[in-house]
Amino acid sequence: MNSNKVLASLCYFSIFFAGFIFPIVVYFVTDHQEVKKHAKKAFLSHLIPAATILLFIISAIFAGLTGGGSDVSFWVGSGLVWLGFVIAGVVNLVVVVWNIIKGIQVLK
């Protein structure tokens, strides 16, 4: 098996063990254009879960600050936080599955 294919595939699978650090290192270390292309795609797809988690934290803080003290605003605010949590979870699951599929496709 071609080592360039394995390296490109590992960029996608690194979502499990090295996050977005591995694709950055591969992008700057390798000279092969195909591997660079896959490292860049993997890096961008690894940023999506980080962005959704950051947005969830910001929305949770915002909902906590704007609670207003009434019971209705608390339940609406916490409901929106839970909705954001579920949406972030679904997005992150889709990104992980996409990375697995791309990693397998690169190996073929």
Side-chain angles (χ1 to χ4, degrees), residues 2 14 18 21 23 25 29 33 52 54 57 60 62 65 84-85 93 100 103-104:
N2 188 354
S14 70
I21 295 171
V25 171
V29 169
Q33 289 302 321
T52 59
L54 181 66
I57 291 170
F62 182 73
L65 292 176
F85 181 71
L93 181 64
I100 292 170
I104 293 170

Side-chain angles (χ1 to χ4, degrees), residues 12 14-16 20 42-57 82-101:
Y12 291 108
S14 70
I15 198 163
F16 296 114
F20 51 85
F43 171 72
L44 292 175
S45 72
H46 291 20
L47 285 180
I48 294 170
T52 59
I53 291 169
L54 181 66
L55 286 174
F56 171 71
I57 291 170
W82 281 107
L83 179 64
F85 181 71
V86 169
I87 291 171
V90 169
V91 168
N92 291 346
L93 181 64
V94 168
V95 169
V96 168
V97 169
W98 185 82
N99 276 292
I100 292 170
I101 291 170

Side-chain angles (χ1 to χ4, degrees), residues 24-74:
I24 290 174
V25 171
V26 169
Y27 183 82
F28 288 114
V29 169
T30 189
D31 293 331
H32 195 265
Q33 289 302 321
E34 191 72 19
V35 175
K36 279 187 179 254
K37 180 183 86 169
H38 286 293
K40 185 170 135 181
K41 285 183 181 180
F43 171 72
L44 292 175
S45 72
H46 291 20
L47 285 180
I48 294 170
T52 59
I53 291 169
L54 181 66
L55 286 174
F56 171 71
I57 291 170
I58 290 170
S59 68
I61 291 171
F62 182 73
L65 292 176
T66 60
S70 72
D71 290 337
V72 174
S73 64
F74 171 76

